[in-house]
Short mmCIF file of all heavy atoms in Angstrom, two decimals:
data_model
loop_
_atom_site.label_atom_id
_atom_site.label_comp_id
_atom_site.label_asym_id
_atom_site.label_seq_id
_atom_site.Cartn_x
_atom_site.Cartn_y
_atom_site.Cartn_z
N HIS A 177 29.33 -8.76 0.02
CA HIS A 177 29.93 -8.66 1.35
C HIS A 177 29.78 -7.28 1.94
O HIS A 177 30.02 -7.07 3.13
CB HIS A 177 31.41 -9.05 1.29
CG HIS A 177 32.26 -8.06 0.53
ND1 HIS A 177 32.21 -7.94 -0.83
CD2 HIS A 177 33.16 -7.15 0.97
CE1 HIS A 177 33.05 -6.99 -1.23
NE2 HIS A 177 33.64 -6.50 -0.15
N ASN A 178 29.40 -6.30 1.12
CA ASN A 178 29.17 -4.95 1.65
C ASN A 178 27.72 -4.74 2.09
O ASN A 178 27.37 -3.68 2.60
CB ASN A 178 29.51 -3.90 0.58
CG ASN A 178 31.02 -3.73 0.44
OD1 ASN A 178 31.73 -3.68 1.44
ND2 ASN A 178 31.50 -3.67 -0.79
N ASP A 179 26.88 -5.73 1.85
CA ASP A 179 25.48 -5.61 2.24
C ASP A 179 25.38 -5.51 3.76
O ASP A 179 25.98 -6.32 4.48
CB ASP A 179 24.71 -6.84 1.74
CG ASP A 179 23.21 -6.63 1.84
OD1 ASP A 179 22.74 -6.26 2.92
OD2 ASP A 179 22.53 -6.88 0.84
N PRO A 180 24.62 -4.54 4.30
CA PRO A 180 24.49 -4.43 5.76
C PRO A 180 23.94 -5.68 6.41
O PRO A 180 24.13 -5.89 7.61
CB PRO A 180 23.50 -3.26 5.92
CG PRO A 180 23.67 -2.44 4.69
CD PRO A 180 23.94 -3.44 3.60
N GLY A 181 23.24 -6.53 5.65
CA GLY A 181 22.70 -7.75 6.22
C GLY A 181 23.69 -8.90 6.22
O GLY A 181 23.36 -10.01 6.65
N PHE A 182 24.93 -8.66 5.74
CA PHE A 182 25.94 -9.72 5.69
C PHE A 182 26.34 -10.14 7.10
O PHE A 182 26.64 -11.30 7.36
CB PHE A 182 27.15 -9.22 4.90
CG PHE A 182 28.15 -10.30 4.57
CD1 PHE A 182 27.94 -11.14 3.49
CD2 PHE A 182 29.30 -10.46 5.34
CE1 PHE A 182 28.87 -12.12 3.18
CE2 PHE A 182 30.23 -11.43 5.03
CZ PHE A 182 30.02 -12.27 3.95
N LEU A 183 26.35 -9.18 8.04
CA LEU A 183 26.68 -9.46 9.43
C LEU A 183 25.41 -9.54 10.27
O LEU A 183 24.34 -9.11 9.86
CB LEU A 183 27.61 -8.37 9.98
CG LEU A 183 28.96 -8.22 9.28
CD1 LEU A 183 29.72 -7.05 9.87
CD2 LEU A 183 29.78 -9.50 9.40
N SER A 184 25.52 -10.08 11.45
CA SER A 184 24.37 -10.24 12.33
C SER A 184 23.89 -8.87 12.82
O SER A 184 24.60 -7.87 12.77
CB SER A 184 24.73 -11.12 13.53
OG SER A 184 25.64 -10.44 14.38
N ASP A 185 22.66 -8.84 13.33
CA ASP A 185 22.09 -7.59 13.84
C ASP A 185 22.83 -7.09 15.07
O ASP A 185 22.78 -5.90 15.39
CB ASP A 185 20.61 -7.79 14.18
CG ASP A 185 19.76 -8.05 12.94
OD1 ASP A 185 20.22 -7.66 11.85
OD2 ASP A 185 18.69 -8.65 13.07
N ASP A 186 23.52 -7.98 15.78
CA ASP A 186 24.22 -7.59 17.00
C ASP A 186 25.60 -6.98 16.72
O ASP A 186 26.24 -6.47 17.64
CB ASP A 186 24.40 -8.81 17.92
CG ASP A 186 23.06 -9.37 18.37
OD1 ASP A 186 22.11 -8.58 18.49
OD2 ASP A 186 22.97 -10.59 18.60
N PHE A 187 26.03 -7.05 15.46
CA PHE A 187 27.36 -6.52 15.14
C PHE A 187 27.33 -4.99 15.28
O PHE A 187 26.44 -4.33 14.76
CB PHE A 187 27.75 -6.91 13.72
CG PHE A 187 29.20 -6.63 13.40
CD1 PHE A 187 30.17 -7.56 13.68
CD2 PHE A 187 29.58 -5.43 12.81
CE1 PHE A 187 31.50 -7.31 13.38
CE2 PHE A 187 30.90 -5.17 12.52
CZ PHE A 187 31.88 -6.11 12.81
N PRO A 188 28.30 -4.40 16.01
CA PRO A 188 28.31 -2.94 16.19
C PRO A 188 28.52 -2.22 14.87
O PRO A 188 29.38 -2.58 14.08
CB PRO A 188 29.48 -2.71 17.16
CG PRO A 188 30.36 -3.92 17.00
CD PRO A 188 29.45 -5.07 16.68
N ARG A 189 27.74 -1.17 14.65
CA ARG A 189 27.84 -0.43 13.40
C ARG A 189 27.46 1.02 13.63
O ARG A 189 26.77 1.36 14.60
CB ARG A 189 26.95 -1.06 12.33
CG ARG A 189 25.47 -1.05 12.65
CD ARG A 189 24.72 -1.92 11.67
NE ARG A 189 24.96 -3.33 11.94
CZ ARG A 189 24.78 -4.31 11.07
NH1 ARG A 189 24.40 -4.03 9.85
NH2 ARG A 189 24.99 -5.57 11.39
N ASN A 190 27.93 1.88 12.75
CA ASN A 190 27.63 3.30 12.83
C ASN A 190 26.26 3.59 12.22
O ASN A 190 25.73 2.80 11.45
CB ASN A 190 28.70 4.10 12.08
CG ASN A 190 30.08 3.95 12.69
OD1 ASN A 190 30.23 3.99 13.91
ND2 ASN A 190 31.09 3.75 11.84
N PRO A 191 25.68 4.75 12.53
CA PRO A 191 24.45 5.14 11.84
C PRO A 191 24.70 5.21 10.34
O PRO A 191 25.76 5.64 9.89
CB PRO A 191 24.15 6.54 12.41
CG PRO A 191 24.86 6.58 13.72
CD PRO A 191 26.08 5.75 13.54
N PRO A 192 23.75 4.76 9.52
CA PRO A 192 23.96 4.76 8.07
C PRO A 192 24.20 6.17 7.54
O PRO A 192 23.51 7.12 7.92
CB PRO A 192 22.67 4.16 7.52
CG PRO A 192 21.67 4.32 8.62
CD PRO A 192 22.42 4.26 9.89
N LYS A 193 25.19 6.28 6.65
CA LYS A 193 25.56 7.56 6.09
C LYS A 193 24.68 7.89 4.89
O LYS A 193 24.52 7.09 3.97
CB LYS A 193 27.03 7.55 5.65
CG LYS A 193 27.56 8.90 5.16
CD LYS A 193 27.62 9.91 6.28
CE LYS A 193 28.16 11.26 5.82
NZ LYS A 193 28.24 12.23 6.91
#
Side-chain angles (χ1 to χ4, degrees):
H177 68 287
N178 284 318
D179 193 309
F182 190 81
L183 299 176
S184 69
D185 293 338
D186 297 330
F187 191 87
R189 63 191 73 201
N190 297 316
K193 186 67 179 181

